[in-house]
Structure formats: C-alpha cells, structure tokens
Amino acid sequence: MAEDLILTGLNGKQLEAVKTTEGYVRVVAGAGSGKTKALAHRYAYIVEYLGIDPANILCVTFTNKAAGEMKKRVVSLLGQGYDTGLIATYHGFCVRVLREDIHRFQYPRQFIILDEEDQKAILREIYDEMGMRLENRTFNSLLNRIGLYKINLEYVHLLTDVESRIVVEETDTLEQQVIKRYLLKQRKVFGLDFDDLINFTLVLFYDFAEVLQKWQQKLHYVQVDEFQDSSSRQIELIDLVTRRNRNLFVVGDPDQTIYEWRGAKPEYFVDFNLHYPGCETIILDENYRSTPEILDLGNALIKHNQLRVDKDMFTRNPSGIKVIHYHGKSEADEVKWITDRISYLVEERQASLNDIAILYRSNFLSRYIEQGLINEGIDYTIYGGFKFFQRKEIKDALAYLRLISAGDDLAFLRVINTPRRGMGPKKLKALRDFAEAERQSYLETMQENRDSEFVSVKARNLLDLVDKYQTSYHEWPISELTKEVLEESGYMAALRQDGDQERLDNLSELMNAIVAYERTNEDEADLDDYLQSIALYTDYEKEANHASIKLMTIHTAKGLEFPYVFLISFNEGILPNARSLEHGKKRALEEERRLVYVAITRAMKEFCMTETEGVNPNGSSKIPSRFIFEIKENLYDRIGVIEESFYEESLSQIEYINATVLGEAPADGFQIDDQVEHPVFGKGVITEVDARSRTYVVKFEGMEIQKPISFDFKRMTKLKGG
C-alpha cells in the first residue's frame, strides 16, 4: 500500500519533518541528509494521510531538473493518476498564474517568454537603431541595468496600462534611452523575461485582490526546496500566497548557498524564526553520503562562516581514508599526480571512471587538466558544458591563427563574420562560385578580388589584417601574435560588448597555454607546429557512451555525488576568487567558503584537494588557498612539501589581501581601545585600525600627535587589562 511506502525508510528527523504538516516549518537539511526524500514523502503524506488534493499543494523547486525528479519520486510513492502540475520552479508557478489571469492587464494569455538570447537580440536591434558602438556599453551590463530598473514594480504598469506612454527623450541618458526602447520592443511582442514573470505575478496579486485570494484559497500547503537560494522577490511571492492558510514548509542549508551573485538571500532562511515567530525548526543532521573523514573536514571549514544555522553533521558510514592535500611545484606536477591517482583508483581500488569527478571554480580551469587526461589516454566528459578546445571562443581564436598560417576554407568560413562583417549569404555564394571556378581558396579569391562587389568593406579590413601577418608570423612569438590578431580583428571588442566574462577568461587561459608552450619549446616554438600539436586536443571527440571522468564547476556539481572527488587549482585568487572578494568583501568570502564546502560534500569515499606553486597571469606568486590553512592539518594528509619560507610568504600574502581588499587587521592583531606599550614611545591606546595602510593609529601618553604603527612591527605589546 502507498501508506507503507510513505512512512518506511525514514530516520527519526525525516519522519518528524514528514508528519509536521501544519504551520510554519523550517528544515535545516545538511549535505547528503536526504532532504529530497523528506520533501517527496511529506508531499505524499499530505495527499495519502490527510486527503489533500495535489491541486491544493504547491511544491517549489529551484530547477526544472529538480522539479522533474520530485515528480518521479511522488509518482513512485502515490502511483499514477495524480496531477503534479504544481510541483514547479518559481518561474513555472508564475507562468501558471499568468496564463490564467494576465488578461486582466490587457496582455494576451499566450505571451512570449524571453530567454537571455532573446534579450540580447532585442539589444542588438536597439544598438543598430541608435548607432551604438561596441565600446558604449556591453550587453551584460545593460541587462544588469534593466534588471535593476525592474526592481521598482511600477514599470509593470508602463508595459500593461493601455494609457501609459513610454517616450524616449533626447535629454535621456544613453542608459535611459536603451531601457525605454527595450520596454517598447518588449511590449510590442508581448514578451516577458524571467524577472517579469515574478514581477508581473506580484503586481497582479497586489492590483487584483480577487486573484490573490483565489490562489491563497487554492494553496493550502506550500513546500519550498533550496529556500536559502530564494531571492527577495521570490520570498515576497511565497509570503503572499501563504498568508491565509499559514502552512509553509521550507527546506534548505545556508552552508550551501552559492548563488548570492544571482540574488539569493540566505539570511531570510537563517532568520526564518524571526519572520515567523513560533515556527518549528527541524535539523536533518545525519549524512548518508560521505565518510566521517570527509564530513569532519567539511564541518571544520564551514564553522568559520557566521551566516549559518549551527549544526554538526554526523554519519554512521564506515571510516575511510583521510582527505588528501596535494601541493605541487608546478601545474605539470599537479596534473601528473592527479592522473597517477586516477590510475591507482581504477587499477587498485577497482573504481570506474564514472565514479570520479574533477571540480574547479571556473570553466577556464579545465584546460590544463583536460590536456593532461588526453595525454594519458583517460576518457573524460565535461558535465554541463563543452570541452576546453571545443568552446566557441577557443575555436574562433585558433581559426584566426589558421587563417594566417594556412588560409584554409574552414578557418575562413568560421571567422569571416565573427564579428559581423557584412558578408551575407549572397556575397558568400558569389565568393564561393568564383573560388570554385578559379580552383582557389576563399581567402585567395578575396585577396585577388578585394574590390569586387562580393567583398564588403569590413571584409577588406580582415584581408588587411591577414596580409599584415601572413608573411611575417614566423617572426612573432605566438602569444603576442594571438593577442594582436584578436584585438585588431575586433574579436575581443565584440566579446567585451557581450560582457561574457567566462569567454574572456577562457581566452586568457588559452594565452597561458600558449605561453607555457613557448617556454617548453623556446626557440623551436612556431605557429605551424603549435597548431599541429593542438590538433590532438581539438580532435579528441570520444564521448559519453562509455565510462568517463566527469569534469565540472562546483556550481554545476551542486546536488550531485561521486565516490571520488578532486578539487583542483585550490589556490588563493581562484578559490576564493579575487574578483568576488573585491566586489563582495567579507560577504563574498563566506560564499566562496560555502563553495568549497559544497565541493567537499560531493565526495562519498575520497576527497583530494590539489594546488601548485608558480606564477599567476598577473605576475603574482601562486599560493595555497586560505581555506587550506583554516583546516587543522590533522584532518588531512599532505603530499608534497611546503617549505617554511613559502608557508610564511603565503600567510603574509593572505594577510595583505585581508588588509587591502577585505579591510581587516591581522587576526592576532590589536583592536580599537586596546592599551599597548611601545619600546620607545611608551604606553598608549589604539584609536584606529587602518587596514588599507596596514597601520594602527596610537595615542601615546604625553604626545599630541598620534602615531601610525605598522602591522608588521612586533615589539609593541598589549597591556594586561587593556
């Protein structure tokens, strides 16, 4: 019977969560604690034991994939024949509401949903109309501005009120003009982007009380998964629809919040009991996934965060091996150790390649590990993305180099309109016909007929670029040639226009790879040889019909698990990410630490973290991540020697980052109002801690002028009682 399935196989805390159906309930569900199971069983319990129709239960998940998984679990518990349409994402639920009632805004029920590519297509049209150039604004920056503009819900009335007029004024700033034109084009096609789906639903509820009441009366029970990743608007939506029946069940883990950059508000989950006094809190603290060793490491790290609900995860799983920290002298050392470890796992531990995942902070970091795996003949799959040398921007860059080196037709066709150069289908057909008649390549044909009508003005600029380097590329270092060609072709400017930092990072990593090739081959480094050698990687197309290692970012790995997990490039500046720290300061540092926690808790049997010495692209020394130093060394085994001098240098560099970027004094330093004694100036009081200049400002007795004393000065002492 369904009843037997619903209440079996649950631990005490899960069972408590399932049976707690009334009121406001917060479930703090640690990694690997079976939260999805608890959610699905609770949903089934409400249907089977309480007799509630699924049409009266809203279950919000964070992704469409999670919604699909939840529906499968519910069907396995209840059987077929139940309407699970209200198991949906926030956006899915809003579409359901709007399809029923958006006509009240004089909007058609069959409105268009605009994805990011649709939004950029609208912006391209606006750019053409306004004669905007690449350097004016990037697409991503404008989409961010449009998103900020839409924080004020009044814009919804501009789009929906038939009497409202959106007028582009000459006195408007460039940004204002773009936003107004965007809204006009949006209204013209009755298109809603993802922000609009939430915002239109909220305004619909606020403007039409009967619509809100309909949904309040309908939704007797509301469950929200991954509540810590909800934005302010999403939380506002859930608060509205639950005000009548007051049955809200939220599940999440602030320790796994890794989407603050997308608007997530984990503090709302942390303070849930303050927003809903009298709420019940249940902590799922038993981990079914990992060994005690892996769990202890994760627990030790995440305790450094402040924005969290305190919990100590435990497991009844048998003990395994200690976590491994590998410290290498070079990137090549790191790759060699990883591939050797993989071979050991497969040969000695009988692991399948499918059991192994390699995680990294950003996609561009996959390049060097991909090359290492290919060299060793180890099959791999990029989970949720493309292999490094199959990414569009990498193939484009190599095509530009091939066009100069070999002038082949494939390279020509790839870059002729990247960026756009006015070589439309008619011009390309005329070029093709001419080239075939003359038995020439497309490039040769254009070079000999540059004044023909089938050659656009912008295409002639490309010809000038090719002519410039075609006979002299042997004289150029490959790295410098690549940089010059990508800049002069307009390719880099086009990428900056789109504001796609990930693509720019990938090209930066390609430059790193080229520099490494030049260092290895020195005087023998030649463009032709490089392109020939790189073909090994670009042609490596073995894919996932068989066992393969999974490579992915930590963000992609959330929700997944693997017996064996490697976290690579575990270096300061990468993890924690330097750009994130500069932008978000201490708040960002906590999110970066949560990223590491998510990586650790993906592992079931073995977790390895690897990093290497060397030089960063900006010329600074590569050092281990601060997060390694936060974990007691008895919780892992280190392979590779960290010299004492390098250890001290690393700590000093982290301290400098803390002072200049995060605005922190040294952890063991003085605080304001501390009474101190200086060997020369005598007794005084700390009046200011200036982290940026790394000084303490001290008011010494008998001195009118306060003295700045360096953080590095170790002979000033704190007085007892001070």
Side-chain angles (χ1 to χ4, degrees):
M1 288 184 61
E3 292 96 329
D4 297 330
L5 288 174
I6 292 167
L7 294 181
T8 56
L10 301 169
N11 66 29
K13 295 289 183 66
Q14 290 171 334
L15 190 62
E16 183 185 356
V18 167
K19 289 186 172 183
T20 307
T21 59
E22 309 305 305
Y24 294 100
V25 185
R26 172 180 63 176
V27 175
V28 184
S33 63
K35 71 173 178 66
T36 306
K37 183 177 185 178
L39 273 164
H41 282 247
R42 185 179 186 271
Y43 183 103
Y45 180 85
I46 291 171
V47 173
E48 192 69 32
Y49 280 78
L50 304 189
I52 304 298
D53 192 299
N56 300 122
I57 308 170
L58 173 63
C59 182
V60 177
T61 63
F62 206 66
T63 64
N64 288 317
K65 182 181 177 183
E69 175 64 24
M70 184 67 66
K71 288 178 181 181
K72 285 181 185 176
R73 290 188 182 232
V74 166
V75 169
S76 71
L77 293 169
L78 294 175
Q80 301 286 344
Y82 289 93
D83 180 8
T84 58
L86 285 177
I87 300 177
T89 63
Y90 281 111
H91 293 124
F93 170 63
C94 289
V95 169
R96 176 82 173 262
V97 173
L98 295 172
R99 294 291 188 213
E100 289 190 22
D101 286 295
I102 198 172
H103 65 280
R104 296 170 185 269
F105 285 146
Q106 315 302 309
Y107 242 66
R109 286 193 172 97
Q110 297 307 311
F111 55 86
I112 298 170
I113 298 174
L114 304 172
D115 62 18
E116 188 174 327
E117 285 307 308
D118 294 325
Q119 292 177 285
K120 288 184 176 181
I122 292 174
L123 287 178
R124 286 191 187 94
E125 193 176 349
I126 294 170
Y127 268 51
D128 289 341
E129 291 172 357
M130 297 178 63
M132 290 177 62
R133 300 184 62 82
L134 303 179
E135 61 267 20
N136 295 133
R137 290 286 192 283
T138 68
F139 285 169
N140 279 10
S141 68
L142 281 172
L143 288 176
N144 287 335
R145 293 304 304 171
I146 291 167
L148 289 171
Y149 173 83
K150 289 182 175 182
I151 289 175
N152 185 342
L153 295 181
E154 281 302 311
Y155 86 92
V156 174
H157 295 120
L158 280 177
L159 288 176
T160 57
D161 292 350
V162 291
E163 301 297 324
S164 69
R165 295 181 68 230
I166 303 172
V167 181
V168 182
E169 306 280 0
E170 289 186 6
T171 54
D172 290 336
T173 65
L174 182 69
E175 204 167 79
Q176 289 169 334
Q177 290 184 45
V178 171
I179 291 173
K180 286 181 177 180
R181 288 173 182 268
Y182 180 91
L183 295 177
L184 284 166
K185 292 183 183 296
Q186 214 184 322
R187 187 164 71 177
K188 183 180 178 182
V189 299
F190 296 112
L192 301 185
D193 60 35
F194 290 124
D195 284 339
D196 297 327
L197 294 175
I198 302 283
N199 295 340
F200 269 57
T201 304
L202 284 170
V203 175
L204 189 64
F205 285 165
Y206 287 131
D207 286 4
F208 301 94
E210 64 275 22
V211 177
L212 176 59
Q213 287 168 11
K214 176 179 74 174
W215 285 97
Q216 287 178 332
Q217 290 168 5
K218 182 181 181 67
L219 302 176
H220 284 257
Y221 294 90
V222 176
Q223 302 185 162
V224 184
D225 190 15
E226 304 284 10
F227 190 71
Q228 80 282 347
D229 289 330
S230 300
S231 68
S232 298
R233 289 282 190 241
Q234 292 166 340
I235 292 164
E236 185 180 352
L237 182 71
I238 292 298
D239 183 67
L240 278 175
V241 298
T242 57
R243 283 182 185 177
R244 179 180 183 269
N245 293 305
R246 301 177 182 275
N247 289 324
L248 174 59
F249 181 89
V250 301
V251 182
D253 183 9
D255 292 341
Q256 297 185 72
T257 303
I258 57 175
Y259 293 111
E260 282 199 88
W261 53 276
R262 246 172 22 192
K265 298 292 182 183
E267 61 268 30
Y268 203 88
F269 184 88
V270 173
D271 297 331
F272 190 81
N273 57 318
L274 302 179
H275 296 286
Y276 301 106
C279 85
E280 189 160 351
T281 294
I282 301 167
I283 297 179
L284 303 184
D285 52 3
E286 182 171 0
N287 176 288
Y288 291 93
R289 176 182 299 156
S290 306
T291 64
E293 289 80 4
I294 294 169
L295 206 56
D296 287 346
L297 188 90
N299 284 339
L301 177 69
I302 203 61
K303 285 184 183 297
H304 289 271
N305 273 12
Q306 294 181 345
L307 185 60
R308 62 189 303 266
V309 178
D310 193 38
K311 64 182 187 303
D312 271 311
M313 299 297 295
F314 74 94
T315 184
R316 303 178 203 270
N317 291 336
S319 191
I321 72 164
K322 265 191 179 182
V323 170
I324 298 172
H325 167 218
Y326 174 78
H327 173 79
K329 297 296 182 183
S330 68
E331 215 169 69
D333 289 344
E334 184 182 8
V335 171
K336 178 69 166 57
W337 185 84
I338 291 170
T339 54
D340 284 350
R341 187 69 188 177
I342 291 169
S343 298
Y344 167 79
L345 292 174
V346 172
E347 295 167 9
E348 302 297 326
R349 303 274 292 276
Q350 303 303 301
S352 165
L353 292 182
N354 288 333
D355 295 335
I356 302 170
I358 298 176
L359 310 184
Y360 33 78
R361 175 61 173 84
S362 301
N363 275 311
F364 74 87
L365 295 165
S366 74
R367 189 272 310 167
Y368 75 94
I369 193 67
E370 285 188 61
Q371 289 185 279
L373 293 171
I374 292 170
N375 290 339
E376 294 298 322
I378 300 172
D379 290 337
Y380 71 94
T381 302
I382 300 289
Y383 192 93
F386 294 98
K387 293 180 176 181
F388 184 82
F389 287 101
Q390 295 302 319
R391 292 168 193 165
K392 180 183 182 304
E393 60 277 10
I394 303 302
K395 295 182 77 169
D396 289 346
L398 294 175
Y400 269 108
L401 296 177
R402 274 175 43 203
L403 188 64
I404 289 169
S405 169
D408 65 277
D409 286 353
L410 290 176
F412 175 88
L413 290 172
R414 183 168 191 93
V415 304
I416 185 62
N417 279 314
T418 308
R420 289 182 293 175
R421 294 191 174 90
M423 291 293 292
K426 288 183 179 178
K427 282 187 169 64
L428 284 175
K429 185 180 184 305
L431 171 65
R432 187 179 295 110
D433 292 344
F434 204 107
E436 288 176 358
E438 296 295 320
R439 296 186 177 181
Q440 292 177 318
S441 71
Y442 297 148
L443 178 62
E444 289 171 331
T445 302
M446 281 187 62
Q447 287 174 322
E448 293 182 8
N449 301 274
R450 67 174 60 223
D451 295 325
S452 297
E453 60 182 13
F454 58 71
V455 182
S456 68
V457 173
K458 290 184 178 179
R460 289 170 197 155
N461 294 337
L462 177 63
L463 287 177
D464 291 340
L465 174 70
V466 174
D467 290 345
K468 178 179 176 180
Y469 294 108
Q470 202 169 33
T471 57
S472 64
Y473 69 85
H474 291 288
E475 301 167 12
W476 285 76
I478 306 168
S479 54
E480 290 184 29
L481 176 69
T482 306
K483 181 181 178 182
E484 294 296 321
V485 168
L486 294 182
E487 287 289 354
E488 292 178 29
S489 65
Y491 187 80
M492 294 301 293
L495 280 188
R496 295 186 192 108
Q497 178 194 22
D498 277 355
D500 194 327
Q501 189 60 50
E502 186 169 307
R503 292 190 186 280
L504 293 170
D505 286 343
N506 284 336
L507 286 175
S508 178
E509 183 60 22
L510 176 65
M511 293 297 295
N512 291 342
I514 293 172
V515 169
Y517 176 85
E518 290 172 332
R519 287 173 180 164
T520 302
N521 293 274
E522 296 180 341
D523 293 339
E524 301 298 318
D526 180 78
L527 178 61
D528 296 327
D529 292 337
Y530 174 73
L531 290 173
Q532 200 169 37
S533 70
I534 215 69
L536 169 67
Y537 307 111
T538 57
D539 289 342
Y540 192 81
E541 291 289 346
K542 297 177 186 177
E543 279 291 358
N545 294 327
H546 51 270
S548 61
I549 290 173
K550 304 300 181 288
L551 272 61
M552 69 193 79
T553 65
I554 303 171
H555 285 96
T556 303
K558 191 167 185 280
L560 304 176
E561 61 182 29
F562 302 91
Y564 307 97
V565 173
F566 295 83
L567 174 62
I568 67 170
S569 291
F570 199 10
N571 290 89
E572 191 72 14
I574 292 177
L575 188 58
N577 181 267
R579 279 198 298 266
S580 295
L581 294 191
E582 287 171 6
H583 183 262
K585 309 298 182 187
K586 294 180 184 178
R587 183 86 177 214
L589 181 62
E590 291 214 350
E591 176 146 346
E592 294 291 304
R593 190 177 287 110
R594 290 194 292 266
L595 267 174
V596 180
Y597 179 74
V598 167
I600 294 168
T601 54
R602 298 312 92 197
M604 301 164 70
K605 295 181 179 180
E606 183 174 305
F607 180 73
C608 302
M609 45 192 185
T610 71
E611 48 78 25
T612 176
E613 297 176 26
V615 180
N616 290 311
N618 64 4
S620 63
S621 297
K622 292 173 72 175
I623 62 170
S625 169
R626 67 180 62 215
F627 300 136
I628 294 173
F629 298 120
E630 289 180 357
I631 305 167
K632 292 181 179 178
E633 291 190 18
N634 66 324
L635 293 177
Y636 58 86
D637 285 332
R638 177 173 291 148
I639 297 174
V641 177
I642 298 180
E643 303 292 341
E644 185 66 28
S645 59
F646 182 72
Y647 188 90
E648 294 298 326
E649 179 192 339
S650 299
L651 293 181
S652 178
Q653 193 169 318
I654 291 168
E655 186 178 294
Y656 177 77
I657 295 168
N658 289 344
T660 57
V661 179
L662 300 179
E664 287 185 345
D668 59 349
F670 303 112
Q671 307 298 319
I672 292 175
D673 294 330
D674 280 353
Q675 295 179 29
V676 296
E677 186 167 15
H678 189 281
V680 176
F681 300 132
K683 295 178 181 178
V685 176
I686 305 288
T687 62
E688 185 182 343
V689 179
D690 188 341
R692 190 157 292 278
S693 66
R694 304 187 74 252
T695 59
Y696 304 107
V697 181
V698 188
K699 176 69 172 71
F700 290 106
E701 294 177 2
M703 292 187 180
E704 293 184 9
I705 306 290
Q706 301 185 44
K707 298 283 188 182
I709 305 298
S710 170
F711 285 176
D712 297 326
F713 184 72
K714 303 301 183 186
R715 294 168 60 198
M716 186 167 68
T717 57
K718 184 178 177 181
L719 295 172
K720 290 182 179 179

